[in-house]
Amino acid sequence: MNLPAERPAFQTLGVIGVGLLGGSLARAARQRGIVRRVIGVGRDQRRLDAARAAGVIDEGATSVAALRCAELVVVCTPVDRVAADVLAAAGATPASAIITDVGSTKAGIVRTVAAEPAAAAKFIPSHPLAGSEQRGFEFASATLFEGRTCVLTPTASSDPPRLQAVEAFWQSLGMRTVQLAPEEHDAILAATSHLPHVVAAALVRLIRDRERPFTASGFRDTTRVASGDAALWTPILRENATHLLATIERFGSELDRLRNALEQDDAQAIHDWLDEARQLRARCPEQGGADL
């Protein structure tokens, strides 16, 4: 639903981390008339100036002090920095401000923020399942979130009006919303997002130099996400290590099942393994999940 430009939901949106997701968020919110002004906060003033020149943000600063008038702040930094950035934003924004994030792990972030009640009161954790292997505001798209799912992970102490406002915000960008407990979110994403990245990376590492010229579309499609930024993905895997390790174990069991069928030359078992996968794949949504 597009909101009329003369009645934005928020006067000022703060985006901490103006990369692909932060830039796309800024573009989408402005294009849909949800905000009047976007303030980007980052560590490199030159990059912020470039984002402003590109029309992604209206103002760029390296200090959260620039967010003193922001009504909504979305933290779009790597997951190992999200909690600290939420705490910093909480100290810089008005008492009525709302803070959310886009981190693909949730439990650790929620625990850290919960230790600071003043910050926790403002914070509604969320994770829009959208992205790509690209990095930087140069690849930002106002349509990145359309038709996708956003997972909100509130706790028993989350402020209901803020929760409602954050849910409405993501919906106004064209997203479907669902609520999960932080640990449940992390367990699910270990299987649907984090393991696929690990498998893609493993497949790329498996190929030897003399085999590389023979890779075709199937290999490229299967391994696309392996092009993701290692600096972004390292903290994701570390933060969700417990759930990821359990999922790797499940993945190994599936490979063992196929290995046994191959060793026994059991054509029916191989067929059933593949056909069951085909049927399960057909039940997955073509759009709405995470690309990363």
Side-chain angles (χ1 to χ4, degrees):
M1 178 181 69
N2 289 347
L3 300 181
E6 66 273 19
R7 294 173 54 207
F10 300 98
Q11 292 290 326
T12 303
L13 167 67
V15 176
I16 302 179
V18 188
L20 173 73
L21 287 178
S24 296
L25 184 73
R27 285 196 182 279
R30 294 178 69 185
Q31 187 176 101
R32 288 171 173 259
I34 300 165
V35 300
R36 286 197 191 280
R37 182 167 170 250
V38 178
I39 300 173
V41 175
R43 296 186 292 183
D44 187 335
Q45 188 64 52
R46 291 174 299 177
R47 292 285 294 163
L48 292 166
D49 291 343
R52 180 178 181 181
V56 176
I57 58 176
D58 297 295
E59 179 183 336
T62 57
S63 170
V64 293
L67 303 177
R68 59 189 174 277
C69 295
E71 297 148 280
L72 173 66
V73 176
V74 184
V75 178
C76 303
T77 50
V79 294
D80 57 341
R81 288 168 39 199
V82 168
D85 288 331
V86 169
L87 297 178
T93 50
S96 60
I98 303 168
I99 303 170
T100 189
D101 73 311
V102 302
S104 69
T105 65
K106 295 267 76 86
I109 293 169
V110 169
R111 281 195 300 271
T112 300
V113 176
E116 300 289 342
K122 295 181 178 182
F123 184 49
I124 303 295
S126 59
H127 176 205
L129 306 186
S132 82
E133 72 279 11
Q134 305 290 353
R135 187 184 184 197
F137 69 82
E138 293 88 350
F139 299 98
S141 168
T143 63
L144 184 69
F145 305 100
E146 292 179 3
R148 302 285 181 167
T149 297
C150 183
V151 183
L152 286 81
T153 61
T155 66
S157 60
S158 294
D159 179 52
R162 284 184 169 89
L163 174 59
Q164 184 178 16
V166 170
E167 189 164 33
F169 172 73
W170 291 118
Q171 290 172 353
S172 70
L173 298 185
M175 304 196 81
R176 299 180 291 272
T177 56
V178 63
Q179 295 183 24
L180 296 174
E183 285 287 354
E184 184 181 13
H185 165 277
D186 289 359
I188 291 173
L189 267 292
T192 63
S193 177
H194 306 162
L195 180 66
H197 190 92
V198 169
V199 171
L203 286 172
V204 172
R205 291 173 57 85
L206 180 71
I207 298 299
R208 291 170 289 193
D209 288 343
R210 64 186 179 86
E211 298 166 333
R212 213 170 306 281
F214 300 95
T215 58
S217 58
F219 184 85
R220 289 194 299 271
D221 291 345
T222 304
T223 60
R224 177 184 60 82
V225 294
S227 299
D229 181 23
L232 177 69
W233 274 95
T234 297
I236 291 174
L237 302 187
R238 294 182 66 207
E239 288 282 328
N240 207 23
T242 299
H243 292 298
L244 181 57
L245 287 169
T247 306
I248 289 173
E249 188 72 22
R250 288 167 50 199
F251 181 65
S253 297
E254 281 296 323
L255 291 182
D256 287 341
R257 182 178 164 191
L258 176 61
R259 180 190 293 115
N260 291 336
L262 289 169
E263 288 174 346
Q264 297 170 24
D265 194 24
D266 188 337
Q268 186 62 52
I270 296 170
H271 174 277
D272 291 348
W273 190 86
L274 292 169
D275 193 57
E276 185 177 309
R278 179 189 62 81
Q279 294 179 49
L280 291 170
R281 174 65 178 82
R283 290 161 54 184
C284 296
E286 288 301 317
Q287 191 176 17
D291 282 335
L292 275 180

